[in-house]
Amino acid sequence: MIDIVKFVNGNLRLNPSLLAADFANLESDIRKLESSGAEILHLDIMDGHFVPNISFGVPVVEAIRRVTDLTLDVHLMLSNPMEYLGVFRRAGADLLSIHIEAVSDPRPLFDQIRKLGALSGLVLNPPTSVERVEPFIDDCDLILVMGVMPGFGGQKFEPLTFDKLRRIRSISKPNLLISVDGGVGDKTIEACAEAGANLFVVGTSLFNGNIQQRFRQLSDLLKKDKGNL
Ligand code: DX5
Ligand code: ZN
Protein backbone atom coordinates (compact mmCIF):
# COMPACT_ATOMS: atom_id res chain seq x y z
CA MET A 1 0.00 0.00 0.00
CA ILE A 2 1.27 3.50 -0.72
CA ASP A 3 2.29 5.58 2.28
CA ILE A 4 -0.39 8.26 2.21
CA VAL A 5 1.50 10.76 4.41
CA LYS A 6 4.57 10.63 2.15
CA PHE A 7 2.43 10.63 -0.99
CA VAL A 8 0.48 13.77 -0.05
CA ASN A 9 3.26 15.77 1.65
CA GLY A 10 2.32 19.09 0.02
CA ASN A 11 2.57 17.68 -3.51
CA LEU A 12 0.34 18.77 -6.38
CA ARG A 13 -0.04 15.97 -8.94
CA LEU A 14 -1.65 15.39 -12.30
CA ASN A 15 -3.76 12.24 -12.40
CA PRO A 16 -4.22 11.26 -16.07
CA SER A 17 -7.67 9.82 -16.84
CA LEU A 18 -7.19 6.99 -19.34
CA LEU A 19 -10.80 7.44 -20.50
CA ALA A 20 -9.36 9.97 -22.93
CA ALA A 21 -6.40 7.76 -23.98
CA ASP A 22 -6.12 5.80 -27.23
CA PHE A 23 -7.67 2.46 -26.23
CA ALA A 24 -6.06 0.76 -29.22
CA ASN A 25 -2.64 1.85 -27.95
CA LEU A 26 -3.00 2.03 -24.19
CA GLU A 27 0.47 0.72 -23.40
CA SER A 28 2.09 3.28 -25.63
CA ASP A 29 0.11 6.11 -23.97
CA ILE A 30 1.04 4.77 -20.52
CA ARG A 31 4.75 4.78 -21.48
CA LYS A 32 4.44 8.41 -22.56
CA LEU A 33 2.85 9.26 -19.21
CA GLU A 34 5.57 7.38 -17.30
CA SER A 35 8.33 9.17 -19.18
CA SER A 36 6.59 12.49 -18.43
CA GLY A 37 6.79 11.76 -14.70
CA ALA A 38 3.23 10.60 -13.98
CA GLU A 39 2.98 8.70 -10.68
CA ILE A 40 -0.69 7.78 -10.72
CA LEU A 41 -3.35 6.87 -13.30
CA HIS A 42 -7.10 7.44 -12.99
CA LEU A 43 -9.31 4.62 -14.29
CA ASP A 44 -13.02 5.34 -14.82
CA ILE A 45 -15.31 2.35 -14.34
CA MET A 46 -18.90 2.92 -15.52
CA ASP A 47 -21.81 0.50 -15.34
CA GLY A 48 -24.36 2.10 -17.70
CA HIS A 49 -26.70 2.39 -14.69
CA PHE A 50 -25.20 4.73 -12.10
CA VAL A 51 -24.02 6.82 -15.07
CA PRO A 52 -25.44 6.80 -18.62
CA ASN A 53 -22.31 5.33 -20.18
CA ILE A 54 -20.15 2.17 -20.14
CA SER A 55 -16.36 2.46 -20.19
CA PHE A 56 -14.22 -0.60 -19.35
CA GLY A 57 -14.02 -3.18 -16.60
CA VAL A 58 -11.90 -5.68 -14.69
CA PRO A 59 -9.91 -7.25 -17.60
CA VAL A 60 -8.73 -3.83 -18.76
CA VAL A 61 -7.58 -2.87 -15.24
CA GLU A 62 -5.71 -6.21 -15.08
CA ALA A 63 -4.10 -5.52 -18.46
CA ILE A 64 -3.00 -2.05 -17.35
CA ARG A 65 -1.58 -3.50 -14.09
CA ARG A 66 0.51 -5.94 -16.15
CA VAL A 67 2.28 -3.15 -18.01
CA THR A 68 2.85 -0.54 -15.28
CA ASP A 69 3.81 -0.13 -11.63
CA LEU A 70 2.15 3.28 -11.36
CA THR A 71 -0.45 3.76 -8.62
CA LEU A 72 -3.88 2.88 -10.01
CA ASP A 73 -6.72 5.12 -8.82
CA VAL A 74 -9.98 3.36 -9.70
CA HIS A 75 -13.09 5.58 -9.80
CA LEU A 76 -16.12 3.33 -9.42
CA MET A 77 -19.20 4.83 -11.06
CA LEU A 78 -21.32 1.84 -10.08
CA SER A 79 -24.73 1.48 -8.44
CA ASN A 80 -23.53 -1.43 -6.27
CA PRO A 81 -19.81 -0.76 -5.58
CA MET A 82 -19.64 -3.11 -2.54
CA GLU A 83 -19.91 -6.16 -4.82
CA TYR A 84 -16.93 -5.11 -6.93
CA LEU A 85 -14.32 -3.91 -4.41
CA GLY A 86 -12.58 -7.29 -4.22
CA VAL A 87 -12.39 -7.93 -7.95
CA PHE A 88 -11.00 -4.48 -8.74
CA ARG A 89 -8.46 -4.74 -5.90
CA ARG A 90 -7.32 -8.12 -7.21
CA ALA A 91 -7.17 -6.63 -10.71
CA GLY A 92 -4.60 -4.13 -9.41
CA ALA A 93 -6.39 -1.11 -7.93
CA ASP A 94 -4.36 0.71 -5.26
CA LEU A 95 -7.07 3.24 -4.50
CA LEU A 96 -10.80 2.53 -4.75
CA SER A 97 -13.27 5.42 -4.81
CA ILE A 98 -17.01 5.11 -4.38
CA HIS A 99 -19.80 7.64 -4.89
CA ILE A 100 -21.73 8.95 -1.89
CA GLU A 101 -24.82 8.98 -4.15
CA ALA A 102 -24.57 5.19 -4.52
CA VAL A 103 -24.48 4.24 -0.82
CA SER A 104 -26.31 5.24 2.34
CA ASP A 105 -23.28 4.70 4.59
CA PRO A 106 -19.83 4.43 3.00
CA ARG A 107 -18.09 3.25 6.20
CA PRO A 108 -18.56 -0.50 5.67
CA LEU A 109 -17.10 -0.06 2.20
CA PHE A 110 -14.09 1.83 3.57
CA ASP A 111 -13.57 -0.99 6.09
CA GLN A 112 -13.69 -3.52 3.28
CA ILE A 113 -11.25 -1.50 1.15
CA ARG A 114 -8.85 -1.24 4.10
CA LYS A 115 -9.06 -5.00 4.66
CA LEU A 116 -8.21 -5.49 1.01
CA GLY A 117 -5.06 -3.42 1.56
CA ALA A 118 -6.05 -0.45 -0.60
CA LEU A 119 -6.72 3.25 0.00
CA SER A 120 -10.28 4.51 -0.03
CA GLY A 121 -11.93 7.51 -1.64
CA LEU A 122 -15.34 9.16 -1.51
CA VAL A 123 -16.75 11.00 -4.54
CA LEU A 124 -19.46 13.64 -4.75
CA ASN A 125 -21.32 14.84 -7.83
CA PRO A 126 -21.94 18.54 -8.61
CA PRO A 127 -25.50 18.59 -7.16
CA THR A 128 -24.38 16.89 -3.91
CA SER A 129 -23.46 19.18 -1.02
CA VAL A 130 -20.23 18.92 0.94
CA GLU A 131 -22.31 18.40 4.11
CA ARG A 132 -23.23 14.98 2.73
CA VAL A 133 -19.57 13.81 2.81
CA GLU A 134 -18.37 15.77 5.86
CA PRO A 135 -19.17 13.04 8.41
CA PHE A 136 -16.88 10.62 6.55
CA ILE A 137 -13.94 12.86 5.79
CA ASP A 138 -11.74 11.31 8.50
CA ASP A 139 -12.64 7.75 7.50
CA CYS A 140 -11.11 7.77 4.01
CA ASP A 141 -7.89 8.76 2.26
CA LEU A 142 -9.31 10.79 -0.61
CA ILE A 143 -12.26 13.04 -1.33
CA LEU A 144 -12.96 13.42 -5.04
CA VAL A 145 -15.02 16.43 -6.05
CA MET A 146 -16.62 16.07 -9.48
CA GLY A 147 -16.38 19.19 -11.62
CA VAL A 148 -18.94 17.71 -14.06
CA MET A 149 -21.71 15.13 -13.93
CA PRO A 150 -19.88 11.81 -14.29
CA GLY A 151 -20.23 9.65 -17.38
CA PHE A 152 -18.33 11.49 -20.10
CA GLY A 153 -15.06 13.28 -20.66
CA GLY A 154 -14.78 16.69 -22.27
CA GLN A 155 -17.55 18.49 -20.37
CA LYS A 156 -17.51 22.04 -19.03
CA PHE A 157 -16.30 22.61 -15.45
CA GLU A 158 -18.91 23.67 -12.87
CA PRO A 159 -17.55 26.77 -11.02
CA LEU A 160 -19.37 25.91 -7.76
CA THR A 161 -16.72 23.19 -7.42
CA PHE A 162 -14.22 25.79 -6.14
CA ASP A 163 -16.29 26.52 -3.01
CA LYS A 164 -16.61 22.81 -2.33
CA LEU A 165 -12.83 22.33 -2.58
CA ARG A 166 -12.26 25.28 -0.23
CA ARG A 167 -14.73 23.91 2.31
CA ILE A 168 -13.19 20.42 2.21
CA ARG A 169 -9.68 21.84 2.56
CA SER A 170 -10.76 23.93 5.56
CA ILE A 171 -12.06 20.93 7.51
CA SER A 172 -9.66 18.20 6.39
CA LYS A 173 -6.67 16.56 8.00
CA PRO A 174 -3.37 17.58 6.33
CA ASN A 175 -2.75 14.20 4.71
CA LEU A 176 -6.08 14.01 2.86
CA LEU A 177 -5.94 13.64 -0.90
CA ILE A 178 -8.33 16.22 -2.33
CA SER A 179 -8.98 15.44 -5.93
CA VAL A 180 -11.00 17.16 -8.63
CA ASP A 181 -12.32 15.36 -11.71
CA GLY A 182 -14.00 16.67 -14.84
CA GLY A 183 -13.34 19.79 -16.87
CA VAL A 184 -9.88 20.33 -15.36
CA GLY A 185 -7.53 22.05 -17.83
CA ASP A 186 -5.55 25.19 -18.61
CA LYS A 187 -8.35 27.53 -17.56
CA THR A 188 -9.33 25.79 -14.30
CA ILE A 189 -6.37 23.87 -12.88
CA GLU A 190 -4.69 26.75 -11.05
CA ALA A 191 -7.92 27.90 -9.42
CA CYS A 192 -8.54 24.30 -8.30
CA ALA A 193 -5.09 24.26 -6.70
CA GLU A 194 -5.70 27.59 -5.00
CA ALA A 195 -9.00 26.22 -3.67
CA GLY A 196 -7.17 23.32 -2.04
CA ALA A 197 -7.03 20.40 -4.47
CA ASN A 198 -3.79 18.39 -4.56
CA LEU A 199 -4.66 15.72 -7.17
CA PHE A 200 -5.93 16.79 -10.58
CA VAL A 201 -7.69 14.32 -12.85
CA VAL A 202 -7.05 15.36 -16.44
CA GLY A 203 -8.55 13.64 -19.46
CA THR A 204 -9.32 15.66 -22.57
CA SER A 205 -7.00 18.52 -21.65
CA LEU A 206 -4.05 16.11 -21.47
CA PHE A 207 -4.72 13.66 -24.30
CA ASN A 208 -5.91 16.22 -26.87
CA GLY A 209 -2.54 16.95 -28.39
CA ASN A 210 0.99 15.74 -27.69
CA ILE A 211 0.72 13.90 -24.37
CA GLN A 212 4.22 14.68 -23.14
CA GLN A 213 4.00 18.32 -24.09
CA ARG A 214 0.56 18.71 -22.53
CA PHE A 215 1.75 16.92 -19.34
CA ARG A 216 4.59 19.43 -19.06
CA GLN A 217 2.37 22.43 -19.72
CA LEU A 218 -0.26 21.42 -17.17
CA SER A 219 2.43 20.51 -14.60
CA ASP A 220 4.04 23.92 -15.11
CA LEU A 221 0.75 25.59 -14.20
CA LEU A 222 0.75 23.58 -10.96
CA LYS A 223 4.39 24.45 -10.22
CA LYS A 224 3.55 28.12 -10.66
CA ASP A 225 0.72 27.68 -8.22
CA LYS A 226 2.83 25.80 -5.70
CA GLY A 227 5.24 28.72 -5.73
CA ASN A 228 2.41 30.97 -4.60
CA LEU A 229 1.25 28.72 -1.79
C1 DX5 B 1 -16.06 11.52 -16.01
C2 DX5 B 1 -14.83 10.86 -15.49
C3 DX5 B 1 -13.60 11.64 -15.67
C4 DX5 B 1 -13.27 12.01 -17.10
C5 DX5 B 1 -12.72 13.40 -17.05
O1 DX5 B 1 -17.14 10.75 -15.68
O2 DX5 B 1 -14.95 10.59 -14.10
O3 DX5 B 1 -12.48 11.04 -15.03
O4 DX5 B 1 -12.36 11.16 -17.73
O5 DX5 B 1 -12.56 13.85 -18.32
P1 DX5 B 1 -12.19 15.35 -18.69
O6 DX5 B 1 -10.87 15.65 -18.03
O7 DX5 B 1 -12.12 15.31 -20.17
O8 DX5 B 1 -13.31 16.22 -18.17
ZN1 ZN C 1 -13.15 9.90 -13.03
Side-chain angles (χ1 to χ4, degrees), residues 17 19 42 44 46 75 77 146 150-154 181-183 201 203-204:
S17 167
L19 191 63
H42 182 85
D44 287 298
M46 302 179 186
H75 175 188
M77 284 162 271
M146 292 304 301
F152 300 90
D181 181 8
V201 177
T204 316

Side-chain angles (χ1 to χ4, degrees), residues 68-178:
T68 185
D69 291 328
L70 295 183
T71 296
L72 299 183
D73 162 31
V74 174
H75 175 188
L76 297 174
M77 284 162 271
L78 307 177
S79 295
N80 50 353
M82 188 63 157
E83 285 177 40
Y84 293 95
L85 299 175
V87 280
F88 278 106
R89 171 63 179 147
R90 286 188 286 280
D94 298 295
L95 206 160
L96 285 159
S97 293
I98 54 164
H99 272 262
I100 188 69
E101 299 85 4
V103 294
S104 47
D105 182 1
R107 276 176 286 228
L109 286 91
F110 296 153
D111 289 345
Q112 179 68 14
I113 294 170
R114 206 168 302 116
K115 271 190 211 138
L116 290 164
L119 298 177
S120 59
L122 188 59
V123 193
L124 69 158
N125 283 339
T128 304
S129 69
V130 171
E131 285 71 38
R132 184 77 179 82
V133 299
E134 275 187 26
F136 312 110
I137 236 163
D138 289 330
D139 301 321
C140 57
D141 304 290
L142 168 141
I143 297 285
L144 172 55
V145 183
M146 292 304 301
V148 302
M149 275 309 278
F152 300 90
Q155 303 180 73
K156 199 173 168 309
F157 185 83
E158 164 57 62
L160 287 173
T161 310
F162 297 128
D163 283 343
K164 288 174 149 183
L165 290 169
R166 263 188 287 275
R167 171 74 189 149
I168 291 166
R169 169 56 69 207
S170 74
I171 57 173
S172 71
K173 56 194 173 190
N175 58 348
L176 185 73
L177 280 167
I178 302 179

